[in-house]
Amino acid sequence: MTSAPVVALVLAGGTGSRLYPASRSTRPKQFLPLLGEETLLERTVDRASFADHVVVSTRPELEADVRDLVPGAEVVVEPVGKDTGPALAYATHCIGERYGDDAVVVVLPSDHTVGDVGRFTETLERGAEVARAADRLVAFGVDPTRPETGYGYIEPGREHDGFADLDAFHEKPDAETAARYIEAGYLWNAGMFAWRVETFRAAADDSPLAPLVRALDDGDVAGGFDAVEPTSVDYAVMERVSDAAVVPLEVPWDDLGSWDALARLLPADDDGNVVHAGTDVGEAGHETDGSEADAALFVDSGDNVVVSDGPHVSLAGVDGLAVVAWDDRVLVVPKASAQRVRDVVSMLKQQGRF
């Protein structure tokens, strides 16, 4: 590896609205300890030990909580949330100012769960080296285990030593299309990337993010954000470059994007029911623990997910539901339609109740 530092950039500015009601406007899902005592954000920062430095990107209203949870990380605060494109352009700019244009940035969303951390680390180190040595924008593509309709896909092209050309991104498909993608060898788009600061800046300067890039060079952060629309880094940058690369990530991986994911990650009873006695993290980072044994009762019910931070939940004669009782809110949704929580949140936002 070169002497130029590797910087892990952890994205922690989103809300994770599909995990409502545990996730709310002031308590995004990365602050929830859904898989143990540590929050998802803390677990992500722990996995970033391969890097020379760790930077967390977040929004102003979440800054204090981020600093409390991961005091050893540097924090970059974007002035307003406008999706991953502006967030990554700004954070990469800040990393360049501090560590130089040759620094290699490795982007990690803060809401993933990863198995085989050793192999995960090796893969990210390889991706960082590809970004440096080949001077390419790199996406990490997860080896899929099922025809998932909730993820985007990456189409790999010609293979090289440890990576492949990235031929195309594909949006979230229907079930039939997802099955074809799997058969064709496509990878899940995990939203993890690696790039040199200068390589990303050049690509972003020839994209819808150009007004922000140029304003940042002039020191006008607020004006730069005002000049661009919300957009993902996939659409704004990655899909527009002709020589992006993809590095396969062959480890157990999941995106905790909706409540049905817990059925894949937590042990089930003999009828396929999964229970999580939620824990909550307050402003000072103190946790309150629940008990799975006391959280739920099932009568002639199977294949359900129950999450509660206190109230006891009883299910009788129902199958395939996700039931979440958190704070003063209760959510009931078929597991197969767990993505529709987004519609609930949209309506609550319109009513000022999210």
Side-chain angles (χ1 to χ4, degrees):
M1 292 289 286
T2 179
S3 58
V6 174
V7 182
L9 173 55
V10 177
L11 289 174
T15 300
S17 58
R18 287 172 293 165
L19 290 188
Y20 170 85
S23 180
R24 303 279 287 276
S25 58
T26 57
R27 186 184 56 218
K29 67 178 176 179
Q30 58 267 24
F31 293 173
L32 299 172
L34 292 176
L35 297 174
E37 293 185 358
E38 285 191 317
T39 64
L40 298 179
L41 174 59
E42 290 171 292
R43 293 164 69 94
T44 305
V45 170
D46 288 346
R47 288 197 298 271
S49 59
F50 65 89
D52 299 302
H53 308 280
V54 178
V55 173
V56 179
S57 173
T58 192
R59 293 179 280 130
E61 57 269 32
L62 305 179
E63 178 184 2
D65 286 322
V66 168
R67 293 188 184 278
D68 284 344
L69 286 170
V70 287
E74 302 172 44
V75 180
V76 169
V77 182
E78 56 195 275
V80 61
K82 286 197 168 183
D83 211 333
T84 57
L88 287 172
Y90 179 52
T92 299
H93 171 84
C94 294
I95 290 169
E97 285 194 323
R98 179 149 192 174
Y99 297 110
D101 287 345
D102 286 334
V104 177
V105 178
V106 179
V107 179
L108 302 175
S110 58
D111 55 357
H112 293 175
T113 178
V114 173
D116 195 346
V117 174
R119 193 170 184 182
F120 174 82
T121 297
E122 292 173 1
T123 303
L124 266 62
E125 289 176 336
R126 184 169 74 250
E129 177 62 11
V130 171
R132 184 201 66 80
D135 198 21
R136 293 195 185 199
L137 303 183
V138 175
F140 295 92
V142 173
D143 190 23
T145 58
R146 61 188 183 276
E148 174 63 53
T149 60
Y151 302 153
Y153 286 74
I154 291 172
E155 180 181 349
R158 185 165 65 98
E159 293 187 359
H160 303 270
D161 184 16
F163 70 98
D165 295 335
L166 198 164
D167 276 3
F169 286 90
H170 297 274
E171 296 299 323
K172 298 174 182 178
D174 58 31
E176 183 179 345
T177 303
R180 290 203 309 270
Y181 287 171
I182 298 292
E183 193 170 332
Y186 292 7
L187 305 171
W188 284 337
N189 179 9
M192 295 187 290
F193 307 98
W195 49 61
R196 288 178 58 249
V197 168
E198 180 56 32
T199 307
F200 180 83
R201 187 204 178 282
D205 197 31
D206 188 26
S207 81
L209 297 175
L212 173 59
V213 171
R214 295 163 193 173
L216 292 175
D217 288 341
D218 294 334
D220 184 9
V221 177
F225 271 82
D226 287 343
V228 294
E229 296 297 321
T231 183
S232 71
V233 72
D234 303 56
Y235 173 77
V237 179
M238 296 298 297
E239 294 182 11
R240 297 171 186 269
V241 297
S242 60
D243 61 347
V246 57
V247 171
L249 183 60
E250 298 173 339
V251 300
W253 173 92
D254 214 302
D255 173 8
L256 284 167
S258 54
W259 288 117
D260 61 312
L262 291 184
R264 298 189 295 269
L265 300 171
L266 297 178
D269 67 13
D270 292 341
D271 295 314
N273 297 303
V274 168
V275 180
H276 177 68
T279 58
D280 194 8
V281 176
E283 292 183 1
H286 301 300
E287 297 181 7
T288 59
D289 297 303
S291 168
E292 276 76 14
D294 297 332
L297 172 70
F298 300 97
V299 178
D300 297 328
S301 299
D303 194 30
N304 298 291
V305 172
V306 171
V307 180
S308 173
D309 73 339
H312 183 273
V313 177
S314 298
L315 274 65
V318 295
D319 300 308
L321 294 182
V323 180
V324 185
W326 206 289
D327 294 337
D328 60 341
R329 307 287 181 95
V330 177
L331 169 78
V332 180
V333 63
K335 282 170 53 183
S337 302
Q339 301 291 335
R340 294 209 60 190
V341 176
R342 183 183 286 132
D343 300 332
V344 173
V345 170
S346 178
M347 294 183 68
L348 289 171
K349 285 181 177 179
Q350 292 174 15
Q351 299 170 9
R353 300 172 64 188
F354 179 61

